[in-house]
């Protein structure tokens, strides 16, 4: 199908090491996620892993990649597959790392602070979406049963 080739090519550009191609691909992907069929096609084309890689960039490209991942993992028929792909790509740890990044110094422009806040917000959205499944919660917390997460007979109080 020609339409599938378009999404495959988009994923190829998302996987590029060239910053200009990454920026153009992320901007094109932002417009694709507005369409529910585009969301499904992106997930089927394996766009999650390169988007996770781009999300680590402390730049506008990274913020847009996080925004796309938040949209892809939020709702729709493909959201569950997206969450599985996010977990497979190590997104729970990556989103936690992004959420714990330090803010820019006070001497930097307000624009840097706004971009940092957007990065943190989108990373927390993706982390919340990823951990809504048991597998995602286990990946994040490291425990599979509630009894394992609570120390019994602890000396609290």
């Amino acid at each position: 199908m020609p339409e599938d080739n378009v999404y495959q090519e988009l994923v190829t550009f998302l996987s590029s090491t060239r910053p200009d191609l990454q920026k153009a691909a992320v901007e094109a992907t932002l417009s694709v996620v507005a369409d529910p069929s585009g969301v499904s096609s992106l997930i089927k084309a394996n766009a999650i892993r390169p988007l996770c890689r781009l999300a680590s960039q402390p730049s506008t490209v990274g913020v847009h990649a996080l925004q796309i991942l938040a949209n892809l993992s939020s709702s729709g028929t493909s959201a569950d597959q997206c969450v599985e792909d996010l977990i497979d790509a190590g997104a729970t740890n990556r989103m936690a790392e992004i959420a714990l990044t330090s803010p820019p110094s006070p001497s930097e422009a307000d624009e840097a602070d706004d971009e940092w806040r957007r990065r943190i917000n989108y990373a927390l959205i993706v982390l919340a979406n990823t951990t809504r499944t048991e597998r995602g919660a286990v990946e994040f917390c490291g425990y599979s049963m509630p009894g394992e997460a609570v120390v019994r007979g602890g000396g609290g109080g």
Side-chain angles (χ1 to χ4, degrees), residues 33-157:
V33 295
D35 177 23
S37 67
V39 167
S40 178
S41 296
L42 275 173
I43 293 169
K44 287 178 187 173
N46 298 315
I48 303 304
R49 189 169 298 274
L51 284 167
C52 282
R53 186 176 50 78
L54 292 173
S56 296
Q57 294 185 14
S59 65
T60 304
V61 169
V63 172
H64 289 324
L66 287 164
Q67 182 180 359
I68 294 163
L69 289 171
N71 288 341
L72 292 175
S73 63
S74 291
S75 62
T77 57
S78 300
D80 290 338
Q81 182 60 51
C82 178
V83 167
E84 290 298 315
D85 292 348
L86 283 164
I87 295 167
D88 291 341
T92 51
N93 290 333
R94 188 169 305 193
M95 296 306 128
E97 288 171 8
I98 292 169
L100 294 172
T101 57
S102 299
S105 67
S107 63
E108 293 184 30
D110 287 339
E111 188 175 312
D113 189 55
D114 289 343
E115 189 168 276
W116 174 78
R117 289 177 190 280
R118 288 183 28 227
R119 263 178 68 75
I120 301 303
N121 288 338
Y122 287 130
L124 289 173
I125 291 168
V126 174
L127 185 60
N129 290 342
T130 304
T131 57
R132 73 175 175 240
T133 67
E134 182 178 358
R135 181 174 172 225
V138 168
E139 182 74 22
F140 183 63
C141 297
Y143 297 102
S144 60
M145 299 297 291
E148 293 176 30
V150 178
V151 177
R152 297 188 190 274

